[in-house]
Every structure is written in structure tokens, then in C-alpha cells.
């Protein structure tokens, strides 16, 4: 083993094997992921602009939704642009520092989003189950504190992952069987027992994701049970809001739980799930929230009309 053990100083880069070696599939992925990335940035940017411009959306729920859109744009940008350009240039290598950077930002954004989704669940719980206390409990200061806390927790989580990765000795060949660096695939290149690494992944990411998902699921169940005792109109609105929130939670947590609870599972399965929560989930969030939220749809129509009227008023 010593003959294949490389220190940090002798290792310069990894090779990203990507999703397929087929040129035809790579061109297909290039077109699809390029369109999805543009749609993600446009859709989430539209939500942020709409919430900022429309005073009717200046509420805690939409403040948290705006931050979710910002995180989704960040999550979509940490690896997807490089993958898209790699398909064009054929240059599929990444430096060791670049690989660690991807791991850091991946766990930063996913860790932050987990806490933010819990904050959004707490907001809906107070709004529906304790409406008389909502204004005093969910104040603007509390919302800011929740967002800041989510980023702090994200930084702490990502630092633990990167710090652990820095201590690992790696063995050649340095081929990462994915389109970005993450610990489950990078661990396969380490010259240590993968069983121990798997336990680290399960304890620091898998169990955390599973526990947060269980808490979120229970909170939405409590909300829906509480709403059943109110009017049918209140039930319909709360059900629509909670359903949209839970769809986002399920789509985000499902792949994360599978990848980090079973870190040594099939690479093909991990690739599919990685694509889902880093590329598809960020574009699904604005679609889910806008299609199921009447207030957001009305605000977007107002924004569109304002833009069209502004263009008509401009001198030709």
C-alpha cells in the first residue's frame, strides 16, 4: 500500500469521469443541463425580484422563500457550470484544491438549506397552529436570526467535511466517478478502510439528514391535523401551502438520505440522485411554489404588467 500512497504535496488533480463516456450522451446532457441551469437561475431570480418589489410579499414566509431561492441558485452553480463547459472543452480534470472547494460549497449549501427548510416549517407551524402569537414569535429579527443561523450551521458542517478530507491519504488513479467532487466518491480513492469512512459519512451527514426529515415530516402532520378543526377554506389554503413545502422537503431530503446513509452504494444510483438534488431540485422549487401559491402568481403578473407598461411608455 505504501507504494501507492501519495501525499498532498505530490497530488495535483483529479479526473472527473462524468456521467457517460458516450459523445452523443454528453451532447444530450450538455443541452439539457444548460437549459435547466438557465431556467433555474431565471426562475429563482424571478422569485427574489418579485418578493422584493411587491410589498404584499414582505412577510416572514416570503423572506425565507427568497433565501431558499438564493441557496438553490448557489447549489445549482457550484458544479453545473463546470460540467457544462467540460462537455464542450473535453477538459475533465479538477485540481485538489478545486475538489475540496466543491465539497465545501456542496455541504455549505445543502447544510444551510436543511436548516432553512426547518425554519420554513417552524414558520408555517406558528402561523397555522398559533396564529395569535405569530407576529410576536416570527418577527423580522427572528427571521434574520434563523437565516444567519442556517448559514452558520452550514459553514460548520462543511468545514467538518473538508477538514476530514484533508487528513486522508489518497491512492492512484485519481479518478472521481462523478461530475463533481463529494465525499462518498472521493473516499473511494483513499488508502484507508472504507468501512470507517462510511461510518463517518453516516454519522455526520446521513443521520443528520434523516433526523431533520423526520422532524419536518412530523411538523407538517401536526399542522394538517390542527387545520382539520378549522374551516374548509382554511384547510384548503393550509393544505396547499404545506403540500408545496413538503414536496420540496421530500425531493431534497430523499436523495441526500440515500446517498449519505448508504455512502458505499452503487455509483450509478448515486450519480442519478446527485443529478436530481443538484440540478433538478433547484428548478423544481420555483415551479412548485409559483404554481401552488396564488399570491406569488398574482405578484408575478403585476410585475409582468409593470414591465410591459414601462416598455410601452418608453419613447421609441
Amino acid at each position: 500500500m505504501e507504494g501507492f500512497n501519495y501525499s498532498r504535496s505530490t497530488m495535483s488533480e483529479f479526473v472527473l469521469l462524468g456521467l457517460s463516456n458516450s459523445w452523443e450522451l454528453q451532447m444530450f446532457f450538455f443541452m439539457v443541463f444548460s437549459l435547466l441551469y438557465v431556467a433555474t437561475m431565471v426562475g429563482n431570480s424571478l422569485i427574489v425580484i418579485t418578493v422584493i418589489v411587491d410589498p404584499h410579499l414582505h412577510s416572514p414566509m416570503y423572506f425565507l422563500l427568497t433565501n431558499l431561492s438564493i441557496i438553490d441558485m448557489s447549489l445549482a452553480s457550484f458544479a453545473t457550470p463546470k460540467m457544462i463547459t467540460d462537455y464542450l472543452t473535453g477538459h475533465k480534470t479538477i485540481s485538489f484544491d478545486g475538489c475540496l472547494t466543491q465539497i465545501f460549497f456542496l455541504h455549505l449549501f445543502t447544510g444551510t438549506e436543511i436548516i432553512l427548510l426547518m425554519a420554513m416549517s417552524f414558520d408555517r407551524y406558528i402561523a397555522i397552529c398559533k396564529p395569535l402569537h405569530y407576529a410576536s414569535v416570527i418577527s423580522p429579527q427572528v427571521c434574520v436570526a434563523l437565516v444567519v443561523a442556517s448559514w452558520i450551521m452550514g459553514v460548520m458542517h462543511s468545514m467538518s467535511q473538508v477538514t476530514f478530507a484533508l487528513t486522508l491519504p489518497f491512492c492512484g488513479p485519481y479518478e472521481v466517478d462523478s461530475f463533481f467532487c463529494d465525499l462518498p466518491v472521493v473516499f473511494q480513492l483513499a488508502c484507508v478502510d472504507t468501512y470507517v469512512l462510511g461510518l463517518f459519512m453516516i454519522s455526520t451527514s446521513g443521520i443528520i439528514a434523516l433526523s431533520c426529515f423526520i422532524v419536518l415530516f412530523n411538523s407538517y402532520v401536526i399542522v394538517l391535523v390542527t387545520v382539520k378543526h378549522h374551516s374548509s377554506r382554511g384547510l384548503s389554503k393550509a393544505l396547499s401551502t404545506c403540500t408545496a413545502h413538503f414536496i420540496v422537503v421530500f425531493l431534497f431530503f430523499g436523495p441526500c438520505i440515500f446517498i449519505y446513509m448508504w455512502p458505499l452504494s452503487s455509483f450509478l444510483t448515486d450519480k442519478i440522485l446527485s443529478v436530481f438534488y443538484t440540478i433538478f431540485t433547484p428548478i423544481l422549487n420555483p415551479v412548485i411554489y409559483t404554481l401552488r401559491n396564488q399570491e406569488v402568481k398574482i405578484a408575478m403578473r403585476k410585475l409582468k404588467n409593470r414591465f410591459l407598461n414601462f416598455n410601452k411608455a418608453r419613447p421609441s
Side-chain angles (χ1 to χ4, degrees), residues 187 194-205 207 260 263-264:
F187 278 172
T194 56
Y195 176 77
V196 176
L197 300 180
L199 290 179
F200 173 81
M201 284 301 308
I202 293 171
S203 61
T204 60
S205 296
I207 292 178
Y260 296 112
L264 304 179

Side-chain angles (χ1 to χ4, degrees), residues 100-114:
L100 290 181
T101 301
Q102 283 194 341
I103 292 174
F104 175 83
F105 282 115
L106 170 63
H107 287 271
L108 169 63
F109 299 138
T110 53
T112 302
E113 183 157 341
I114 285 175

